[in-house]
Amino acid sequence: MPAPTLPDSSTAADVAIAPAASAAPEVAVASPAPPASAWGLLGVLSLIWGTSFILMKKGLVVFSALELGAARVSVAAMLLLPFALREIGRVERGRLKWLALSGTVGTLIPAFLFAYAETRLASGLAGVLNALTAVFALLVGALLFGQRLTGLRVLGIGLGLAGTVVLMLLGGSGDAASPTGEAGSAWYGGYIVVATVGYGLSVNVIKHRLHTLTPVAVTSLLLLLIGGPALAYLLLGTGFVHKLATVPGAWPAFGYIALLATMSTAVATVLFNMLIQRSTTLFASSSTYLIPIVALAWGALDGEAFNLWHAAGMVVILAGVFIIHRAR
């Protein structure tokens, strides 16, 4: 999900991130427009990930943030285990460290951080803050992967952030803000900021270090590497099983978590990795600009605050997306 200027295809030549020593002058080449299939994937991902925040909110009615995060990763890993076992023998051992890094900072840690943030934040506001992924992917790409920033793309990201700030400042709070009914706390948004830094790093690692692997291989293998520790913690370090057996409403709450793991973690991660390979990381990351619209809509249906200022903020975000996509 996020925002640097990365290569426009997934071939080995395109992902060379440091300029090679050469006597030939540097020639600027315009990035090709994303294919129609990339736009379709972007829309589907926005719907899936935009819905994930309300699913977390429903799961947190019964389970703690740590239980939700561990269950989410564990279920997703088990769903893709057959694919991981098929792919593990085909992957170079040197790539496992990059898979582990991407899985840890881009899936495992954010699963806990987002859940913990939503104990005191409205789900719609959590979806809005998720758009910060675009900024950190851009910064990581520029700082660690030698990506070039253009003025128009920086402007587009600035507009996206401006719209995000409007939405964040006017985010819903009060009785419907959190699963526990406690008033929201803007400070809890800091956990999401940290999570989006991880997303930004993970996106760049996938594009630059794992681009030759198929989306299914990347997703299943990184979940294999982080799923074992998550499952062990869930079963041995939490009261998850006891709650399932004794707490009223635990199974419906787990149903929300299972749906979250299936669609938002397993299926959507495959689709997102596919999108990265079919377009640029910048384009793939722009799904985070559309996610707040879906998240706020679900939040409004669940009684969270929504007003004309939210609509204005979303218009600014979409204007930023348009500029980013048109910039060269």
Side-chain angles (χ1 to χ4, degrees), residues 93-190:
R93 292 295 177 262
R95 296 187 185 275
L96 293 180
K97 63 182 179 182
W98 298 111
L99 286 163
L101 175 62
S102 180
T104 300
V105 303
T107 301
L108 182 63
I109 294 176
F112 291 106
L113 292 176
F114 268 91
Y116 192 61
E118 281 206 41
T119 61
R120 295 290 299 277
L121 285 180
S123 64
L125 180 54
V128 168
L129 292 175
N130 183 72
L132 293 173
T133 304
V135 175
F136 292 115
L138 173 61
L139 294 177
V140 170
L143 293 175
L144 300 182
F145 294 90
Q147 299 309 307
R148 182 176 59 90
L149 303 182
T150 65
L152 279 179
R153 282 174 172 169
V154 172
L155 172 62
I157 289 172
L159 283 176
L161 280 177
T164 298
V165 169
V166 171
L167 292 173
M168 182 176 65
L169 294 177
L170 297 172
S173 61
D175 293 341
S178 68
T180 60
E182 298 179 11
S185 172
W187 291 106
Y188 276 64

Side-chain angles (χ1 to χ4, degrees), residues 41-65:
L41 285 172
L42 182 67
V44 171
L45 281 169
S46 299
L47 290 173
I48 292 176
W49 272 326
T51 303
S52 67
F53 304 98
I54 194 68
L55 293 176
M56 281 187 272
K57 179 179 179 180
K58 298 300 183 182
L60 287 168
V61 171
V62 173
F63 298 102
S64 70

Side-chain angles (χ1 to χ4, degrees), residues 22 31 59 69 75 105 130 133 149 153 184 187 198 200 202 217 298 306 310-311 313 319:
S22 173
S31 301
V75 172
V105 303
N130 183 72
T133 304
L149 303 182
R153 282 174 172 169
W187 291 106
S202 177
W298 279 114
F306 184 85
H310 290 125

Side-chain angles (χ1 to χ4, degrees), residues 276-314:
I276 291 176
Q277 293 185 344
R278 293 188 182 183
S279 61
T280 66
T281 300
L282 176 64
F283 180 84
S285 301
S286 65
S287 63
T288 54
Y289 288 128
L290 305 177
I291 288 169
I293 299 174
V294 180
L296 285 170
W298 279 114
L301 291 174
D302 202 47
E304 296 175 5
F306 184 85
N307 54 46
L308 292 178
W309 285 106
H310 290 125
M314 287 186 289

